[in-house]
Amino acid sequence: MALIGIGVDMEDISRFENAEEKLLKRIFTDEELAFCFKSVKPYEHLTARFCAKEAAFKALPFDEIAFKNIEVKTLNDGKPSLVIHDDRAKGLDVKLSLSHTDCSAIAFVIVSR
């Protein structure tokens, strides 16, 4: 496999605690919002997913992709997975790691072919 890109992003959770619904709906898919707001601490999950999208922007080999075309899904084993809804991503292998504390979240994305 050939390494294409690596991206990382870190954000304060407070950034999303007072975010308007209109902004959240522009950034996150309905499935992501439903997952996060089922949680006891939804803003930690929202922030981690935002970090994943920002890290993906940095790692992907192309520009101009909408936030909602980068989607974080949770697999049956509880691990996060990144799905890129764009034909240009065909053949790319995308790996994601998320973590958060009470006040910040971080995501790493590795893209290879």
Side-chain angles (χ1 to χ4, degrees):
M1 279 193 203
L3 179 65
I4 303 292
I6 299 172
V8 63
D9 191 63
M10 184 174 174
E11 302 287 340
D12 290 333
I13 291 169
S14 63
R15 181 173 183 184
F16 287 95
E17 288 175 340
N18 297 313
E20 294 183 16
E21 183 179 348
K22 182 178 177 181
L23 174 66
L24 296 177
K25 287 186 177 266
R26 196 182 91 228
I27 295 172
F28 302 104
T29 66
D30 290 342
E31 189 175 325
E32 288 172 315
L33 290 170
F35 175 86
C36 292
F37 282 106
K38 278 193 303 189
S39 169
V40 175
K41 296 182 178 183
Y43 300 105
E44 291 176 8
H45 293 286
L46 286 170
T47 308
R49 278 154 179 73
F50 180 79
C51 289
K53 293 169 188 261
E54 287 286 328
F57 291 144
K58 297 169 185 174
L60 289 168
F62 47 83
D63 295 326
E64 306 285 329
I65 183 167
F67 277 106
K68 287 175 105 172
N69 286 348
I70 300 171
E71 185 175 20
V72 178
K73 295 195 177 259
T74 303
L75 303 176
N76 291 337
D77 62 4
K79 292 180 183 177
S81 173
L82 203 60
V83 177
I84 310 297
H85 301 286
D86 190 299
D87 288 340
R88 298 172 291 177
K90 286 188 176 157
L92 296 180
D93 182 36
V94 181
K95 302 291 186 205
L96 170 65
S97 180
L98 299 175
S99 190
H100 58 77
T101 66
D102 289 340
C103 58
S104 62
I106 191 167
F108 286 92
V109 173
I110 298 174
V111 178
S112 58
R113 187 178 312 269

